[in-house]
Amino acid sequence: MPAVVSVARVTMPDATRAQALLSLTDVSGTGNVSDLLREGSRYTGGPEALSDADYASLLADDVAVIVETSWVDAAGDAGALQQLADDGVELVPTR
């Protein structure tokens, strides 16, 4: 089943600030991670909006990795979607 994945790798000035960023983004509803589709990033045949998105993050020293995933079409297996988000943070080099 097709999914969309957003990955952000943010290098902060120090580990304390990277942790502070994740402290914000790890809380649902804080409004600090913008939905790329809502902001106008689209591709032909892609979804108009995300639904039932999943999230994962990773802190590595001064690097914060933030991943959001969603199925393209109808909702699929939520466990598989969360696994995709979890795998996404592991794919990003932190150094």
Side-chain angles (χ1 to χ4, degrees):
M1 176 172 287
V4 291
V5 180
S6 169
V7 179
R9 179 190 185 277
V10 183
T11 302
M12 299 296 286
D14 55 52
T16 300
R17 291 181 184 167
Q19 178 59 60
L21 174 62
L22 288 185
S23 292
L24 288 173
T25 62
D26 286 349
V27 176
S28 181
T30 56
N32 43 57
V33 176
S34 292
D35 178 329
L36 292 172
L37 297 173
R38 184 179 60 240
E39 298 299 320
S41 294
R42 301 253 192 292
Y43 63 93
T44 302
E48 291 296 317
L50 300 183
S51 62
D52 300 325
D54 272 308
Y55 171 91
S57 66
L58 172 75
L59 176 66
D61 194 29
D62 62 345
V63 176
V65 179
I66 302 163
V67 177
E68 186 173 17
T69 61
S70 178
W71 297 120
V72 170
D73 296 318
D77 179 358
L81 190 60
Q82 183 61 57
Q83 186 62 55
L84 181 60
D86 294 340
D87 290 347
V89 295
E90 299 299 326
L91 293 174
V92 178
T94 54
R95 283 286 159 225

Coordinates of all heavy atoms in Angstrom, one line a residue:
M1 N 0.9 -1.2 0.0 CA 0.0 0.0 0.0 C 0.9 1.2 0.0 O 1.8 1.3 0.8 CB -0.9 0.0 1.2 CG -1.8 1.2 1.4 SD -3.0 1.1 2.7 CE -4.1 -0.1 1.9
P2 N 0.7 2.2 -0.9 CA 1.5 3.4 -1.0 C 1.4 4.3 0.2 O 0.3 4.4 0.8 CB 1.0 4.1 -2.2 CG 0.2 3.2 -3.0 CD -0.3 2.1 -2.0
A3 N 2.5 4.8 0.7 CA 2.5 5.8 1.8 C 3.3 7.0 1.4 O 4.2 6.9 0.6 CB 3.1 5.1 3.0
V4 N 3.1 8.1 2.1 CA 3.9 9.3 2.0 C 4.7 9.4 3.3 O 4.2 9.0 4.4 CB 3.1 10.6 1.8 CG1 2.5 10.6 0.4 CG2 2.0 10.7 2.9
V5 N 5.9 9.8 3.2 CA 6.8 9.9 4.3 C 7.5 11.3 4.3 O 8.1 11.7 3.3 CB 7.9 8.8 4.3 CG1 8.8 8.9 5.5 CG2 7.2 7.5 4.3
S6 N 7.5 12.0 5.4 CA 8.2 13.3 5.5 C 9.3 13.0 6.5 O 9.1 12.6 7.6 CB 7.3 14.4 6.0 OG 8.0 15.5 6.4
V7 N 10.6 13.4 6.1 CA 11.7 13.2 7.0 C 12.4 14.6 7.2 O 12.8 15.2 6.2 CB 12.7 12.2 6.5 CG1 13.9 12.0 7.5 CG2 12.0 10.8 6.3
A8 N 12.6 15.0 8.4 CA 13.4 16.2 8.7 C 14.5 15.9 9.5 O 14.4 15.2 10.6 CB 12.5 17.3 9.3
R9 N 15.7 16.3 9.1 CA 17.0 16.1 9.9 C 17.4 17.5 10.2 O 17.8 18.3 9.3 CB 18.0 15.4 9.1 CG 19.3 15.2 9.8 CD 20.4 14.7 8.9 NE 21.6 14.4 9.5 CZ 22.5 15.3 9.8 NH1 22.4 16.5 9.5 NH2 23.6 14.9 10.5
V10 N 17.3 17.9 11.5 CA 17.6 19.3 11.9 C 18.8 19.3 12.8 O 18.8 18.7 13.9 CB 16.4 19.9 12.7 CG1 16.7 21.3 13.0 CG2 15.1 19.8 11.8
T11 N 19.9 20.0 12.4 CA 21.1 20.1 13.2 C 20.9 21.4 14.0 O 20.8 22.5 13.4 CB 22.4 20.2 12.4 OG1 22.5 19.0 11.6 CG2 23.6 20.3 13.3
M12 N 20.9 21.3 15.3 CA 20.8 22.5 16.2 C 22.2 22.9 16.7 O 23.1 22.1 16.6 CB 19.8 22.1 17.4 CG 18.4 21.7 16.9 SD 17.5 23.0 16.1 CE 17.1 24.0 17.5
P13 N 22.3 24.0 17.4 CA 23.6 24.5 17.9 C 24.2 23.6 18.9 O 25.4 23.5 19.1 CB 23.3 25.9 18.5 CG 22.0 26.3 17.8 CD 21.2 25.1 17.5
D14 N 23.3 22.9 19.7 CA 23.8 22.0 20.7 C 22.7 20.9 21.1 O 21.6 21.0 20.6 CB 24.3 22.7 22.0 CG 23.2 23.6 22.5 OD1 22.0 23.1 22.8 OD2 23.4 24.8 22.7
A15 N 23.1 19.9 21.8 CA 22.2 18.8 22.2 C 21.0 19.3 23.0 O 19.9 18.8 22.9 CB 23.0 17.7 22.9
T16 N 21.2 20.3 23.8 CA 20.1 20.8 24.7 C 19.0 21.4 23.8 O 17.8 21.2 24.0 CB 20.6 21.9 25.7 OG1 21.6 21.3 26.5 CG2 19.5 22.5 26.5
R17 N 19.4 22.2 22.8 CA 18.4 22.7 21.9 C 17.8 21.7 21.0 O 16.6 21.8 20.7 CB 19.1 23.9 21.1 CG 19.4 25.0 21.9 CD 20.0 26.2 21.2 NE 20.4 27.2 22.1 CZ 21.2 28.2 21.7 NH1 21.7 28.3 20.5 NH2 21.5 29.1 22.6
A18 N 18.5 20.7 20.6 CA 17.9 19.6 19.8 C 16.9 18.9 20.7 O 15.8 18.6 20.2 CB 19.0 18.6 19.3
Q19 N 17.2 18.6 21.9 CA 16.2 18.0 22.8 C 15.0 18.9 23.0 O 13.8 18.4 23.0 CB 16.8 17.7 24.2 CG 15.9 17.1 25.2 CD 15.2 15.8 24.6 OE1 16.0 14.8 24.4 NE2 13.9 15.7 24.5
A20 N 15.2 20.2 23.1 CA 14.1 21.1 23.3 C 13.2 21.1 22.0 O 11.9 21.1 22.2 CB 14.6 22.6 23.5
L21 N 13.8 21.0 20.8 CA 13.0 20.9 19.6 C 12.1 19.6 19.7 O 10.9 19.7 19.4 CB 13.8 20.9 18.4 CG 13.1 20.6 17.1 CD1 12.1 21.7 16.8 CD2 14.1 20.5 15.9
L22 N 12.7 18.5 20.0 CA 11.9 17.3 20.1 C 10.9 17.3 21.2 O 9.8 16.7 21.1 CB 12.8 16.1 20.2 CG 13.6 15.7 19.0 CD1 14.4 14.4 19.2 CD2 12.7 15.6 17.8
S23 N 11.2 18.0 22.3 CA 10.2 18.1 23.3 C 8.9 18.8 22.8 O 7.8 18.5 23.3 CB 10.7 18.9 24.5 OG 11.8 18.2 25.1
L24 N 9.1 19.7 21.9 CA 7.9 20.4 21.3 C 7.2 19.5 20.3 O 6.0 19.3 20.3 CB 8.3 21.7 20.6 CG 8.7 22.9 21.5 CD1 9.2 24.0 20.6 CD2 7.5 23.3 22.3
T25 N 8.0 18.9 19.3 CA 7.4 18.2 18.2 C 6.9 16.8 18.7 O 6.0 16.3 18.0 CB 8.5 17.9 17.1 OG1 9.6 17.2 17.6 CG2 9.0 19.2 16.5
D26 N 7.3 16.3 19.8 CA 6.8 15.0 20.2 C 5.4 15.1 20.9 O 4.8 14.1 21.2 CB 7.8 14.4 21.2 CG 9.0 13.8 20.6 OD1 9.1 13.7 19.3 OD2 10.0 13.5 21.3
V27 N 5.0 16.3 21.1 CA 3.6 16.5 21.7 C 2.6 16.8 20.6 O 2.8 17.7 19.8 CB 3.7 17.7 22.7 CG1 2.3 17.9 23.3 CG2 4.6 17.4 23.8
S28 N 1.6 15.9 20.5 CA 0.6 16.1 19.5 C -0.2 17.4 19.7 O -0.5 17.8 20.8 CB -0.4 14.9 19.5 OG -1.4 15.0 18.6
G29 N -0.5 18.1 18.6 CA -1.3 19.3 18.7 C -0.6 20.6 19.0 O -1.2 21.6 19.2
T30 N 0.8 20.5 19.1 CA 1.5 21.8 19.4 C 1.7 22.7 18.2 O 2.1 23.8 18.4 CB 2.9 21.4 20.1 OG1 3.6 20.6 19.2 CG2 2.7 20.8 21.4
G31 N 1.4 22.2 17.0 CA 1.4 23.0 15.8 C 2.8 23.3 15.3 O 3.0 24.2 14.5
N32 N 3.8 22.6 15.8 CA 5.2 22.9 15.4 C 5.7 22.1 14.2 O 6.8 22.4 13.7 CB 6.1 22.9 16.6 CG 5.8 21.6 17.4 OD1 5.9 20.5 16.9 ND2 5.5 21.8 18.6
V33 N 5.0 21.1 13.8 CA 5.4 20.3 12.6 C 4.3 20.5 11.6 O 3.2 20.1 11.8 CB 5.6 18.8 12.9 CG1 6.0 18.1 11.6 CG2 6.7 18.6 13.9
S34 N 4.6 21.3 10.5 CA 3.6 21.6 9.5 C 3.4 20.4 8.6 O 4.3 19.7 8.2 CB 4.0 22.8 8.7 OG 3.9 23.9 9.5
D35 N 2.1 20.1 8.3 CA 1.8 19.1 7.3 C 2.2 19.6 5.9 O 1.7 20.6 5.5 CB 0.3 18.8 7.4 CG -0.3 17.8 6.4 OD1 0.3 17.7 5.3 OD2 -1.2 17.2 6.8
L36 N 3.1 18.9 5.2 CA 3.6 19.4 3.9 C 2.5 19.6 2.9 O 2.5 20.5 2.1 CB 4.6 18.4 3.4 CG 6.0 18.4 4.2 CD1 6.8 17.3 3.7 CD2 6.7 19.7 4.1
L37 N 1.5 18.7 2.9 CA 0.4 18.8 2.0 C -0.4 20.1 2.3 O -0.8 20.8 1.4 CB -0.5 17.6 2.1 CG 0.2 16.3 1.6 CD1 -0.8 15.1 1.9 CD2 0.6 16.3 0.2
R38 N -0.7 20.3 3.5 CA -1.4 21.5 3.9 C -0.7 22.8 3.5 O -1.2 23.8 3.1 CB -1.6 21.5 5.4 CG -2.5 22.7 5.9 CD -2.7 22.7 7.4 NE -1.4 22.8 8.1 CZ -1.0 21.8 9.0 NH1 -1.7 20.8 9.3 NH2 0.2 22.0 9.6
E39 N 0.7 22.7 3.5 CA 1.5 23.8 3.1 C 1.7 23.9 1.6 O 2.4 24.8 1.1 CB 2.9 23.7 3.8 CG 2.8 23.8 5.3 CD 2.2 25.1 5.8 OE1 2.5 26.2 5.2 OE2 1.4 25.1 6.7
G40 N 1.1 23.0 0.8 CA 1.1 23.1 -0.6 C 2.1 22.2 -1.4 O 2.2 22.3 -2.6
S41 N 2.8 21.3 -0.7 CA 3.7 20.4 -1.4 C 2.9 19.2 -1.9 O 2.3 18.5 -1.1 CB 4.8 19.9 -0.4 OG 5.6 20.9 0.0
R42 N 2.8 19.0 -3.2 CA 2.0 18.0 -3.8 C 2.8 17.3 -4.9 O 3.8 17.8 -5.4 CB 0.8 18.6 -4.5 CG -0.1 19.4 -3.5 CD -1.4 18.6 -3.3 NE -2.4 19.3 -2.6 CZ -2.4 19.8 -1.4 NH1 -1.4 19.6 -0.7 NH2 -3.5 20.3 -0.9
Y43 N 2.3 16.1 -5.3 CA 2.8 15.4 -6.4 C 1.6 14.8 -7.2 O 0.6 14.6 -6.6 CB 3.9 14.4 -6.1 CG 3.3 13.3 -5.2 CD1 2.9 12.1 -5.8 CD2 3.3 13.4 -3.8 CE1 2.4 11.0 -5.0 CE2 2.8 12.3 -3.0 CZ 2.4 11.2 -3.6 OH 1.9 10.2 -2.8
T44 N 1.7 14.6 -8.5 CA 0.7 14.1 -9.3 C 0.2 12.7 -8.7 O 1.0 11.8 -8.5 CB 1.1 13.9 -10.7 OG1 1.6 15.1 -11.2 CG2 0.0 13.4 -11.6
G45 N -1.1 12.6 -8.5 CA -1.7 11.4 -7.9 C -1.6 11.2 -6.4 O -2.0 10.2 -5.9
G46 N -1.0 12.2 -5.8 CA -0.8 12.2 -4.3 C -2.0 12.5 -3.6 O -3.0 13.1 -4.2
P47 N -2.0 12.3 -2.3 CA -3.2 12.6 -1.5 C -3.4 14.1 -1.3 O -2.5 14.9 -1.4 CB -2.9 11.9 -0.1 CG -1.4 11.9 -0.1 CD -0.9 11.7 -1.5
E48 N -4.6 14.5 -1.1 CA -5.0 15.9 -0.8 C -4.7 16.3 0.6 O -4.4 17.5 0.9 CB -6.4 16.2 -1.1 CG -6.7 16.1 -2.6 CD -6.0 17.2 -3.4 OE1 -6.0 18.4 -2.9 OE2 -5.5 16.9 -4.5
A49 N -4.7 15.3 1.5 CA -4.5 15.6 3.0 C -4.0 14.3 3.6 O -4.3 13.2 3.1 CB -5.7 16.1 3.6
L50 N -3.4 14.4 4.8 CA -3.0 13.2 5.5 C -4.1 12.8 6.5 O -4.9 13.7 7.0 CB -1.8 13.5 6.3 CG -0.5 13.9 5.6 CD1 0.7 14.0 6.5 CD2 -0.2 12.9 4.5
S51 N -4.3 11.5 6.7 CA -5.2 11.1 7.7 C -4.6 9.9 8.4 O -3.8 9.1 7.9 CB -6.5 10.6 7.0 OG -6.3 9.5 6.2
D52 N -4.9 9.9 9.7 CA -4.3 8.8 10.6 C -2.8 8.7 10.4 O -2.2 7.6 10.3 CB -4.9 7.4 10.3 CG -6.4 7.5 10.5 OD1 -6.9 8.1 11.4 OD2 -7.2 6.8 9.7
A53 N -2.1 9.9 10.4 CA -0.6 9.9 10.3 C 0.0 9.4 11.5 O -0.5 9.4 12.6 CB -0.2 11.3 10.0
D54 N 1.2 8.8 11.3 CA 2.0 8.4 12.5 C 3.3 9.2 12.5 O 3.7 9.8 11.5 CB 2.3 6.9 12.4 CG 1.2 6.1 13.1 OD1 0.9 6.4 14.3 OD2 0.7 5.2 12.5
Y55 N 4.0 9.1 13.6 CA 5.1 10.0 13.9 C 6.2 9.2 14.6 O 5.9 8.3 15.4 CB 4.6 11.1 14.7 CG 5.7 12.1 15.3 CD1 6.1 13.2 14.6 CD2 6.3 11.8 16.5 CE1 7.1 14.0 15.1 CE2 7.3 12.6 17.0 CZ 7.6 13.8 16.3 OH 8.6 14.6 16.8
A56 N 7.5 9.6 14.4 CA 8.6 9.0 15.1 C 9.7 10.1 15.2 O 9.7 11.0 14.3 CB 9.1 7.7 14.5
S57 N 10.5 10.1 16.2 CA 11.6 11.0 16.3 C 12.8 10.3 16.9 O 12.7 9.3 17.5 CB 11.2 12.2 17.1 OG 11.0 11.9 18.4
L58 N 14.0 11.0 16.7 CA 15.2 10.4 17.2 C 16.1 11.6 17.6 O 16.2 12.6 16.8 CB 15.9 9.6 16.2 CG 17.3 9.1 16.5 CD1 17.3 8.0 17.5 CD2 18.0 8.6 15.2
L59 N 16.8 11.5 18.7 CA 17.8 12.5 19.1 C 19.2 11.9 19.1 O 19.4 10.8 19.6 CB 17.5 13.0 20.5 CG 18.5 14.0 21.1 CD1 18.4 15.3 20.3 CD2 18.1 14.3 22.6
A60 N 20.1 12.5 18.3 CA 21.5 12.1 18.3 C 22.4 13.3 18.5 O 22.6 14.0 17.5 CB 21.8 11.4 17.0
D61 N 22.8 13.5 19.7 CA 23.6 14.7 20.1 C 22.9 15.9 19.7 O 21.8 16.2 20.3 CB 25.0 14.5 19.4 CG 26.0 15.5 20.0 OD1 25.9 15.9 21.2 OD2 26.9 15.9 19.3
D62 N 23.4 16.7 18.7 CA 22.7 18.0 18.4 C 21.8 17.8 17.2 O 21.4 18.8 16.6 CB 23.8 19.0 18.1 CG 24.7 18.7 16.9 OD1 24.8 17.5 16.5 OD2 25.4 19.6 16.5
V63 N 21.5 16.6 16.8 CA 20.6 16.4 15.6 C 19.3 15.8 16.0 O 19.2 14.8 16.8 CB 21.3 15.4 14.6 CG1 20.4 15.1 13.4 CG2 22.6 16.0 14.1
A64 N 18.2 16.4 15.6 CA 16.9 15.9 15.8 C 16.3 15.4 14.4 O 16.4 16.1 13.4 CB 16.0 17.1 16.3
V65 N 15.9 14.2 14.4 CA 15.3 13.6 13.2 C 13.8 13.4 13.5 O 13.4 12.8 14.5 CB 15.9 12.2 12.9 CG1 15.2 11.6 11.7 CG2 17.4 12.4 12.7
I66 N 12.9 13.9 12.6 CA 11.5 13.9 12.8 C 10.9 13.3 11.5 O 11.1 13.7 10.4 CB 11.0 15.4 13.0 CG1 11.7 16.0 14.2 CG2 9.4 15.4 13.1 CD1 11.5 17.5 14.2
V67 N 10.0 12.3 11.7 CA 9.4 11.5 10.6 C 7.9 11.5 10.8 O 7.4 11.2 11.9 CB 9.9 10.1 10.5 CG1 9.2 9.3 9.4 CG2 11.5 10.1 10.3
E68 N 7.2 11.8 9.7 CA 5.7 11.7 9.7 C 5.3 10.8 8.5 O 5.8 11.0 7.5 CB 5.0 13.0 9.7 CG 3.5 12.9 9.8 CD 2.8 14.3 9.9 OE1 3.4 15.3 9.6 OE2 1.7 14.3 10.4
T69 N 4.4 9.9 8.7 CA 4.0 9.0 7.7 C 2.4 8.9 7.6 O 1.8 9.2 8.6 CB 4.5 7.5 7.9 OG1 3.9 7.1 9.2 CG2 6.0 7.5 8.0
S70 N 1.9 8.6 6.4 CA 0.5 8.4 6.3 C 0.3 7.6 5.0 O 1.1 7.6 4.1 CB -0.2 9.8 6.1 OG -1.6 9.6 5.9
W71 N -0.8 6.8 5.0 CA -1.2 6.0 3.8 C -1.7 7.0 2.8 O -2.3 8.0 3.1 CB -2.2 5.0 4.1 CG -1.8 4.0 5.1 CD1 -2.4 3.7 6.3 CD2 -0.7 3.0 5.0 NE1 -1.7 2.7 6.9 CE2 -0.7 2.2 6.1 CE3 0.2 2.8 4.0 CZ2 0.3 1.2 6.3 CZ3 1.2 1.8 4.2 CH2 1.2 1.0 5.3
V72 N -1.4 6.7 1.5 CA -1.8 7.6 0.4 C -3.3 7.5 0.2 O -4.0 8.5 0.0 CB -1.1 7.3 -0.9 CG1 -1.7 8.0 -2.1 CG2 0.4 7.6 -0.8
D73 N -3.9 6.3 0.2 CA -5.3 6.1 0.0 C -6.0 5.8 1.3 O -5.8 6.5 2.3 CB -5.5 4.9 -1.0 CG -4.9 5.3 -2.4 OD1 -5.1 6.4 -2.8 OD2 -4.2 4.4 -3.0
A74 N -6.8 4.8 1.3 CA -7.6 4.5 2.5 C -6.7 4.0 3.6 O -5.5 3.6 3.3 CB -8.6 3.3 2.1
A75 N -7.1 4.1 4.8 CA -6.3 3.7 5.9 C -5.9 2.3 5.8 O -6.7 1.4 5.5 CB -7.1 4.0 7.2
G76 N -4.7 2.0 6.1 CA -4.2 0.6 6.2 C -3.8 0.2 7.6 O -4.4 0.8 8.5
D77 N -3.0 -0.7 7.7 CA -2.6 -1.3 9.0 C -1.8 -0.2 9.8 O -0.7 0.2 9.4 CB -1.7 -2.5 8.8 CG -1.2 -3.1 10.0 OD1 -1.5 -2.6 11.1 OD2 -0.5 -4.2 9.9
A78 N -2.4 0.2 10.9 CA -1.7 1.3 11.7 C -0.4 0.8 12.3 O 0.6 1.6 12.3 CB -2.7 1.7 12.9
G79 N -0.2 -0.4 12.6 CA 1.0 -0.9 13.1 C 2.1 -0.8 12.0 O 3.3 -0.5 12.3
A80 N 1.8 -1.1 10.8 CA 2.7 -1.1 9.7 C 3.1 0.4 9.4 O 4.3 0.7 9.1 CB 2.1 -1.7 8.4
L81 N 2.2 1.3 9.5 CA 2.5 2.7 9.3 C 3.4 3.2 10.4 O 4.4 3.9 10.1 CB 1.2 3.5 9.3 CG 1.3 5.0 8.9 CD1 1.8 5.1 7.5 CD2 -0.1 5.7 9.0
Q82 N 3.2 2.8 11.7 CA 4.1 3.3 12.7 C 5.5 2.6 12.5 O 6.5 3.3 12.7 CB 3.5 2.9 14.1 CG 4.4 3.3 15.2 CD 4.6 4.8 15.3 OE1 3.6 5.6 15.4 NE2 5.8 5.3 15.3
Q83 N 5.5 1.4 12.0 CA 6.8 0.8 11.8 C 7.6 1.5 10.7 O 8.8 1.7 10.8 CB 6.6 -0.7 11.4 CG 7.9 -1.4 11.2 CD 8.7 -1.5 12.5 OE1 8.2 -2.0 13.5 NE2 10.0 -1.1 12.5
L84 N 6.8 2.0 9.7 CA 7.4 2.8 8.6 C 8.1 4.1 9.2 O 9.2 4.5 8.8 CB 6.4 3.1 7.5 CG 6.9 3.9 6.3 CD1 8.0 3.2 5.6 CD2 5.7 4.2 5.4
A85 N 7.4 4.7 10.1 CA 7.9 5.9 10.7 C 9.1 5.6 11.6 O 10.1 6.3 11.5 CB 6.8 6.6 11.6
D86 N 9.0 4.5 12.3 CA 10.2 4.1 13.2 C 11.4 3.8 12.3 O 12.5 4.1 12.6 CB 9.8 2.9 14.0 CG 8.8 3.2 15.1 OD1 8.6 4.4 15.4 OD2 8.1 2.3 15.6
D87 N 11.2 3.1 11.2 CA 12.3 2.7 10.3 C 12.8 4.0 9.6 O 14.1 4.1 9.4 CB 11.8 1.8 9.2 CG 11.5 0.4 9.7 OD1 11.8 0.1 10.9 OD2 10.8 -0.4 9.0
G88 N 12.0 5.0 9.4 CA 12.5 6.2 8.7 C 13.5 7.0 9.5 O 14.5 7.5 9.0
V89 N 13.3 7.0 10.9 CA 14.3 7.7 11.7 C 15.7 7.0 11.6 O 16.7 7.6 11.7 CB 13.9 7.9 13.1 CG1 12.7 8.9 13.2 CG2 13.6 6.7 13.9
E90 N 15.7 5.7 11.5 CA 16.9 4.9 11.5 C 17.7 5.0 10.2 O 18.9 4.8 10.1 CB 16.6 3.4 11.7 CG 16.0 3.2 13.1 CD 16.8 3.6 14.3 OE1 18.1 3.5 14.2 OE2 16.3 4.1 15.3
L91 N 17.0 5.4 9.1 CA 17.7 5.6 7.8 C 18.5 6.9 7.6 O 19.3 7.0 6.7 CB 16.6 5.5 6.7 CG 15.9 4.2 6.5 CD1 14.8 4.3 5.5 CD2 16.9 3.1 6.1
V92 N 18.2 7.8 8.5 CA 18.8 9.2 8.3 C 20.1 9.2 9.1 O 20.2 8.9 10.3 CB 17.9 10.2 8.9 CG1 18.5 11.6 8.8 CG2 16.5 10.2 8.2
P93 N 21.2 9.5 8.4 CA 22.5 9.6 9.1 C 22.5 10.8 10.0 O 22.1 11.9 9.7 CB 23.6 9.7 8.0 CG 22.8 10.2 6.8 CD 21.4 9.7 7.0
T94 N 23.0 10.6 11.2 CA 23.0 11.7 12.2 C 24.4 12.3 12.3 O 24.6 13.3 13.0 CB 22.6 11.2 13.6 OG1 23.5 10.1 13.9 CG2 21.2 10.8 13.6
R95 N 25.3 11.8 11.5 CA 26.7 12.4 11.4 C 27.2 12.2 10.0 O 27.0 11.4 9.3 CB 27.7 11.8 12.4 CG 27.4 12.3 13.8 CD 27.9 13.8 13.9 NE 27.3 14.4 15.0 CZ 26.8 15.6 15.0 NH1 26.8 16.3 13.9 NH2 26.2 16.1 16.0

